[in-house]
């Protein structure tokens, strides 16, 4: 591209009369001001106001922009609100805008959707456009304007789009507005090879996901789980879900995400869940491991994981003393498949569980919490296995795992090293009902055929055959 030709920014504004009024012209004025202050001829700003659906493509044809900025309203369903002929709302679905941007993929390099709940649109559009910014929640006028100011201020200073995105979020923080995590950036090439790492399968179906890079979704549950763990006293939580619903993968993600180097994560993947992650200790206990059925072996394992000296013998009294006297850092013990432990491990009796409860509630100054994974509620699980320990009453928060949101499912699908067609994506979403395992299986089948150069529909038949054994997951939709 000739460096003398300015990069064109098309500002599209829509503020339907039957929606709450927005400060769109203030945002436009502030963007203009930032570009003018920079005295740079690199960018040329064009605008289109009161945008109707039919105006979008015409404006792109006329102006031929490289950056498109939409400012307006968005719905929680992912629709963006344009105007109709009389100035009222005309919503546009994500797949429609994505299909349009696909036709401009050789021209447009960046799309900014400065509207509430526009993340779903961003995920869909990012399959065709190199950089797309959306909002993962509602966003106020002040935060939206602050982000735009920071973003274009950085662009005018010759920073990259990725850097400008970070400056936009920082600008929100500088204004003292608690919405700096609302803007999210998606990149068409979601996965870039990391030097020194072996080639990994993007879709994992047979084993739990232990690498945070390949874990998608569960943002609602993660936000609440980490909120329980980032303040004192730490609080306990139970993750409930059917077999193969992703409980174990979620436990591994909790353990690994805050300590994984950022270069080993996806672009824009959140990792700053905890204020001081280096202070935390994480212990993963898998009760399907027969060694954990032995009480002394289990207690020794916990002490070793914390770097404490293991007494001989390592009985419950010594364990309680050591933990009470030496546990000074926030510590989370992740109990996977606890139902197996209750059913098959007679040494883990009520006295054992009562001691763990005492540690968490009275003896460690709020530094100890348990997060367990189970098929049913902890109280129901204890009752069904003949346990009466009050340990199972301390889980005040439960997260029940069902389907992913559509935006989360689309992000997982978009991780394919070979992009899928819109038709393939819609079929996968429909057949999987956005359940992670079913998504992984269907995506893997489609990727196999694309890698082999096959272009028939046999992959769909094979995909349906592969997900049939896990049809029980779909019953989750009908549960209360």
């Amino acid at each position: 591209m000739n460096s003398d030709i300015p990069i064109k920014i098309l500002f599209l504004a829509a503020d339907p009369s039957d929606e709450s009024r927005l400060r769109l012209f203030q945002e436009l004025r502030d963007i203009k001001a930032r570009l003018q202050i920079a005295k740079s001829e690199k960018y040329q700003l064009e605008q289109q106001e009161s945008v109707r659906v039919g105006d979008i493509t015409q404006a792109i044809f006329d102006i031929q922009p490289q950056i498109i900025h939409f400012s307006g309203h968005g719905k929680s369903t992912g629709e963006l609100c344009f105007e109709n002929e009389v100035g009222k709302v005309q919503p546009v679905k994500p797949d429609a805008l994505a299909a349009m941007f696909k036709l401009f993929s050789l021209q447009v390099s960046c799309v900014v959707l400065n509207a509430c709940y526009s993340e779903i649109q961003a995920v869909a559009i990012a399959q065709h456009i190199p950089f797309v910014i959306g909002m993962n929640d509602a966003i106020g006028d002040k935060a939206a304007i602050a982000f735009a100011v920071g973003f274009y201020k950085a662009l005018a200073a010759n920073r990259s789009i990725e850097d400008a995105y970070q400056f936009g979020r920082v600008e929100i923080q500088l204004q003292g507005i608690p919405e700096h995590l609302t803007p999210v950036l998606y990149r068409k090439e979601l996965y870039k090879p990391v030097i020194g790492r072996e080639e990994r399968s993007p879709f994992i179906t047979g084993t739990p996901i232990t690498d945070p890079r390949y874990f998608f979704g569960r943002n609602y549950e993660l936000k609440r789980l980490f909120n329980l763990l980032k303040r004192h006293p730490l609080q306990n939580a139970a993750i409930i879900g059917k077999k193969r619903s992703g409980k174990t993968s979620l436990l591994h993600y909790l353990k690994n995400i805050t300590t994984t180097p950022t270069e080993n994560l996806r672009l824009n993947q959140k990792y700053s869940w905890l204020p001081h992650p280096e202070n935390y200790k994480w212990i993963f206990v898998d009760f399907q491991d027969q060694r954990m059925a032995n009480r002394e072996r289990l207690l020794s394992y916990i002490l070793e994981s914390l770097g404490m000296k293991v007494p001989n013998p390592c009985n419950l009294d010594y364990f309680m003393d050591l933990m009470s006297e030496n546990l000074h850092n926030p510590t989370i013990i992740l109990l996977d498949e606890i139902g197996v432990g209750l059913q098959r491990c007679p040494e883990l009796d009520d006295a054992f569980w009562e001691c763990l409860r005492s540690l968490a509630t009275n003896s460690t100054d709020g530094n100890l919490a348990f997060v367990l994974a189970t098929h049913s509620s902890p109280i129901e699980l204890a009752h069904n296995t003949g346990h009466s320990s009050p340990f199972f009453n301390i889980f005040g928060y439960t997260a029940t795992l069902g389907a992913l949101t559509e935006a989360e499912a689309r992000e997982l699908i978009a991780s394919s090293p070979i992009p899928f067609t819109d038709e393939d994506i819609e079929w996968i979403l429909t057949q999987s009902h956005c359940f992670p395992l079913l998504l992984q299986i269907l995506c893997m089948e489609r990727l196999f055929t694309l890698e082999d150069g096959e272009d028939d529909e046999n992959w769909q038949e094979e995909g349906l055959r592969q997900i049939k054994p896990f049809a029980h997951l779909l019953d989750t939709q009908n549960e209360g």
Side-chain angles (χ1 to χ4, degrees):
M1 180 181 293
N2 189 333
S3 59
D4 295 330
I5 301 176
I7 296 173
K8 294 180 181 179
I9 302 169
L10 173 59
F11 183 96
L12 300 174
D15 196 10
S17 60
D18 50 345
E19 288 284 349
S20 58
R21 312 314 291 174
L22 298 174
R23 296 168 59 198
L24 304 186
F25 296 112
Q26 180 66 47
E27 182 178 345
L28 176 61
R29 284 195 297 269
D30 287 352
I31 293 173
K32 281 184 177 179
R34 289 301 166 182
L35 295 176
Q36 289 170 355
I37 289 172
K39 297 180 179 179
S40 170
E41 298 180 354
K42 183 176 180 180
Y43 292 97
Q44 175 183 327
L45 180 63
E46 303 287 345
Q47 66 193 66
Q48 179 88 37
E49 301 161 11
S50 301
V51 176
R52 297 173 298 180
V53 172
D55 298 331
I56 306 172
T57 53
Q58 188 62 56
I60 298 175
F61 286 139
D62 292 343
I63 297 171
Q64 299 186 0
Q66 288 76 47
I67 298 174
I68 296 179
H69 182 112
F70 172 79
S71 184
H73 295 272
K75 294 181 177 291
S76 59
T77 54
E79 297 169 313
L80 291 184
C81 299
F82 292 87
E83 299 184 22
N84 62 17
E85 288 74 10
V86 294
K88 295 188 180 297
V89 169
Q90 182 169 346
V92 177
K93 294 183 178 297
D95 55 349
L97 270 186
M100 183 202 74
F101 277 109
K102 182 178 181 180
L103 301 177
F104 291 106
S105 60
L106 297 179
Q107 172 189 320
V108 177
S109 59
C110 178
V111 175
V112 180
L113 304 175
N114 211 4
C116 298
Y117 307 110
S118 53
E119 181 182 20
I120 294 177
Q121 293 271 6
V123 171
I125 295 170
Q127 296 174 65
H128 313 297
I129 303 299
F131 298 97
V132 186
I133 295 170
M135 305 296 155
N136 63 18
D137 205 336
I139 186 166
D141 273 346
K142 291 183 178 179
I145 293 171
F147 176 80
V149 167
F151 181 80
Y152 289 104
K153 185 194 304 183
L155 281 189
N158 294 317
R159 303 302 288 262
S160 68
I161 287 174
E162 292 166 295
D163 283 350
Y165 159 73
Q166 296 293 349
F167 277 101
R169 302 214 307 181
V170 167
E171 191 75 25
I172 297 175
Q173 286 182 284
L174 292 174
Q175 297 294 330
I177 306 170
E179 298 178 57
H180 66 283
L181 298 179
T182 301
V184 290
L185 171 65
Y186 287 92
R187 188 173 61 193
K188 182 178 178 182
E189 296 178 2
L190 186 62
Y191 282 94
K192 285 189 173 181
V194 180
I195 297 174
R197 300 180 84 210
E198 69 278 12
E199 182 179 358
R200 301 290 299 274
S201 172
F203 304 118
I204 301 170
T205 61
T207 59
I209 298 169
T210 57
D211 187 339
R213 181 182 179 89
Y214 301 98
F215 183 93
F216 290 86
R218 305 300 187 200
N219 294 316
Y220 178 89
E221 293 85 356
L222 287 167
K223 186 182 299 184
R224 280 147 186 81
L225 287 167
F226 277 113
N227 279 339
L228 296 176
L229 301 174
K230 70 181 182 182
R231 301 180 181 90
H232 276 71
L234 305 186
Q235 298 183 56
N236 308 289
I239 299 170
I240 301 173
K242 295 190 173 189
K243 186 177 182 181
R244 304 303 299 275
S245 61
K247 301 185 299 298
T248 302
S249 295
L250 181 54
L251 290 180
H252 280 296
Y253 186 86
L254 289 172
K255 177 177 181 288
N256 296 326
I257 181 59
T258 60
T259 57
T260 298
T262 55
E263 62 268 21
N264 292 344
L265 299 176
R266 303 189 303 274
L267 174 68
N268 198 49
Q269 186 172 9
K270 182 174 180 178
Y271 62 90
S272 56
W273 294 99
L274 297 171
H276 298 286
E278 68 278 3
N279 294 335
Y280 280 71
K281 302 285 187 180
W282 299 85
I283 303 171
F284 186 93
V285 177
D286 179 8
F287 284 109
Q288 289 186 322
D289 184 340
Q290 186 59 33
R291 293 171 294 181
M292 298 298 103
N294 179 279
R295 179 193 288 187
E296 183 170 356
R297 188 68 178 271
L298 173 57
L299 298 179
S300 298
Y301 167 74
I302 294 174
L303 293 175
E304 289 171 355
S305 299
L306 293 173
M308 297 183 188
K309 185 176 180 180
V310 179
N312 186 17
C314 186
N315 60 36
L316 202 51
D317 289 341
Y318 285 134
F319 174 80
M320 291 285 289
D321 289 341
L322 286 168
M323 293 285 283
S324 300
E325 296 169 4
N326 299 292
L327 192 69
H328 304 303
N329 286 344
T331 300
I332 298 95
I333 300 180
L334 307 164
L335 303 176
D336 193 28
E337 295 293 348
I338 192 170
V340 175
L342 292 174
Q343 293 171 347
R344 303 179 187 174
C345 309
E347 290 188 29
L348 307 183
D349 54 16
D350 285 350
F352 170 82
W353 297 111
E354 287 165 8
C355 285
L356 293 191
R357 182 187 189 279
S358 178
L359 279 176
T361 57
N362 302 314
S363 304
T364 52
D365 194 28
N367 280 314
L368 178 63
F370 294 93
V371 178
L372 59 82
T374 173
H375 299 308
S376 57
S377 75
I379 295 175
E380 180 183 347
L381 183 65
H383 175 75
N384 292 339
T385 54
H387 290 79
S388 60
S389 170
F391 173 79
F392 299 97
N393 295 327
I394 66 175
F395 296 89
Y397 176 77
T398 58
T400 302
L401 301 190
L404 303 184
T405 67
E406 182 179 332
E408 293 170 345
R410 286 184 179 274
E411 185 183 4
L412 188 157
I413 295 170
S415 69
S416 174
I418 302 177
F420 299 160
T421 66
D422 293 343
E423 292 77 11
D424 288 344
I425 292 169
E426 294 305 319
W427 187 87
I428 290 170
L429 289 172
T430 300
Q431 298 300 325
S432 68
H433 295 271
C434 295
F435 278 85
L437 176 63
L438 308 187
L439 281 165
Q440 299 270 7
I441 292 173
L442 295 178
C443 287
M444 183 176 65
E445 288 298 328
R446 185 51 176 150
L447 180 59
F448 283 166
T449 57
L450 291 175
E451 289 177 337
D452 291 339
E454 300 173 10
D455 197 26
D456 54 43
E457 303 303 322
N458 291 337
W459 71 273
Q460 294 184 350
E461 181 179 347
E462 179 61 22
L464 292 176
R465 189 181 72 81
Q466 292 291 343
I467 66 173
K468 188 174 182 180
F470 309 107
H472 67 281
L473 292 170
L474 301 179
D475 295 336
T476 307
Q477 293 187 34
N478 301 319
E479 295 178 355

